[in-house]
Amino acid sequence: MTVNNGFATLAALCASVFVVGTSEYLIAGLLPQVGEDLNVSVGTAGQAVTAYALGVVVGGPLMALLTSRLPRKGLTIGLMLLFAAGSAISATAPSFGLLMVGRVVSSLSHAAFLALALVTATRVVPAEKTGSAIATVASGFTVATLLGVPLGALLGQGAGWRAPFTVLTVLSLVGTVLLAAVLPRQEAPSTRLRDEFRVVARRPVMLAIATTAVGFAGVATVFTYIAPLLTRVSGFSATAVSGLLLAYGAGGFLGNLAAGKLTDRAMNATVRGIFGGLTGTLLLVPFAVVRQPTAVAAVLLLGLLATATIAPLQGLILHHAGAAPNLAVSVNVGAFNLGAAAGSVIGGALVAAGALRWTGLAGAVLSLIGLTLTGLVLPRKRTPAKDAGHGASFTT
């Protein structure tokens, strides 16, 4: 594959991931409108968020297994069409029950599509660019958080909650056309289902997945409640918090891309450095937020590090997965969502106990556990790349 074709493939995958990523959190900002239109409470409407998350965690690996022997290009296009169908059902749902169906249908393609996109990205670049390729595709999610979700929520508030889902349906169809045009043809994998199960059952893979879940839970413990933390403890206005969250998202975008390049050079050092930095930053958050200048610095630093774990951890999974990476990567995608859910529960318990300021300490403990787990899973010696999916340098 030529460099230009590889770039076009990465661009199409990134754009498609942006669409899928926007859908995940979009409805969270539209719950009052959804509840009023479909005659349910806001709390009940919030179950649409839960249903999507469960669909990603449970449905992603299931879809990866059911489609493990299908040709990769056709499967990628099919998953994007499945997402479009779910978005269309959501946009036209006359009842809350059908909205839930639409959300679940969309979620079934989420983890499987992202896993396939990440694996495909590593196949269209030179072996030494694996980390950068993963980060490029994953940046679609960071841009979705930075721009897609707030713009979608703004559209929903002005034109009704169905409008953003209509736009997502159209964009997903456009993404399907792009993928059909630029994706290289790939034969169906020769691996069997038991090969996929054996990969996930490997101790290093299980530890890497656990590292993903625990590490991201540490970030979510603080980030889920960062708005009340900044208003109640730091004393920022709601407008200032919006600006800080925008800066946080921009930092996440830059941190993800930087981590991809660092992963290409030295994965071990990158993973340890990011988890060490996260642990230290989260530990300082409770003390930094009492003064506005240090609170700003903490938010910016946390933004840079929060999504920087994606490229090295997915690269680590690919390194240990060998020729059967699809289920393992899909499970790892679910682990990010599981970590986010666990972190929000832990942070919520602290907030309920009146310890909003101290969520960072709980996050630091979780991040430290993630750092400890990396010591068990990282290769101890430099391992030569076996294929395009194993291209990072694993230097200590």
Side-chain angles (χ1 to χ4, degrees), residues 24-369:
E24 181 172 11
Y25 297 112
L26 172 63
I27 199 169
L30 302 172
L31 295 182
Q33 297 95 313
V34 171
E36 182 179 357
D37 184 42
L38 300 180
N39 296 316
V40 297
S41 68
V42 173
T44 300
Q47 297 307 306
V49 178
T50 304
Y52 194 99
L54 290 175
V56 172
V57 174
V58 178
L62 180 61
M63 290 292 291
L65 287 174
L66 293 176
T67 60
S68 62
R69 299 300 298 274
L70 296 178
R72 302 292 89 179
K73 180 173 182 176
L75 176 58
T76 306
I77 294 171
L79 288 171
M80 202 63 189
L81 287 174
L82 180 64
F83 176 82
S87 297
I89 293 172
S90 298
T92 58
S95 66
F96 182 70
L98 278 178
L99 173 62
M100 291 283 280
V101 171
R103 293 294 288 166
V104 170
V105 169
S106 292
S107 72
L108 289 177
S109 71
H110 180 112
F113 177 81
L114 179 55
L116 192 56
L118 293 173
V119 173
T120 300
T122 66
R123 305 302 188 211
V124 299
V125 297
E128 67 275 9
K129 297 294 184 181
T130 296
S132 294
I134 293 172
T136 298
V137 172
S139 68
F141 268 106
T142 60
V143 176
T145 303
L146 179 63
L147 293 177
V149 172
L151 288 177
L154 185 63
L155 174 63
Q157 290 166 8
W161 68 269
R162 297 176 188 274
F165 286 101
T166 302
V167 172
L168 283 178
T169 303
V170 174
L171 290 178
S172 57
L173 292 175
V174 172
T176 302
V177 173
L178 289 176
L179 292 171
V182 304
L183 282 184
R185 291 189 177 276
Q186 298 181 48
E187 296 298 325
S190 59
T191 55
R192 296 165 293 184
L193 288 181
R194 65 181 181 182
D195 295 326
E196 299 281 352
F197 278 115
R198 283 176 179 172
V199 164
V200 175
R202 290 176 184 170
R203 181 173 177 269
V205 173
M206 294 182 69
L207 286 172
I209 292 171
T211 302
T212 296
V214 173
F216 206 70
V219 174
T221 299
V222 173
F223 182 70
T224 304
Y225 303 95
I226 197 168
L229 181 68
L230 292 173
T231 54
R232 298 179 193 174
V233 179
S234 304
F236 286 104
S237 66
T239 302
V241 169
S242 297
L244 284 173
L245 291 179
L246 187 65
Y248 176 97
F253 175 76
L254 296 174
N256 171 61
L257 294 180
K261 293 186 177 298
L262 291 172
T263 298
D264 290 334
R265 299 180 180 180
M267 178 175 287
N268 284 13
T270 301
V271 172
R272 290 187 179 123
I274 290 170
F275 273 98
L278 269 177
T279 301
T281 300
L282 291 168
L283 186 63
L284 291 174
V285 164
F287 308 101
V289 293
V290 296
R291 298 181 65 249
Q292 290 189 351
T294 52
V296 170
V299 169
L300 295 178
L301 188 56
L302 186 60
L304 283 170
L305 294 170
T307 58
T309 58
I310 296 176
L313 287 176
Q314 292 289 13
L316 189 60
I317 291 287
L318 288 170
H319 168 69
H320 288 295
N326 296 300
L327 178 60
V329 175
S330 182
V331 171
N332 201 46
V333 170
F336 276 102
N337 290 75
L338 189 61
S344 65
V345 170
I346 294 170
L350 289 172
V351 172
L356 173 63
R357 177 185 168 189
W358 304 101
T359 53
L361 295 186
V365 170
L366 290 167
S367 186
L368 182 60
I369 294 173

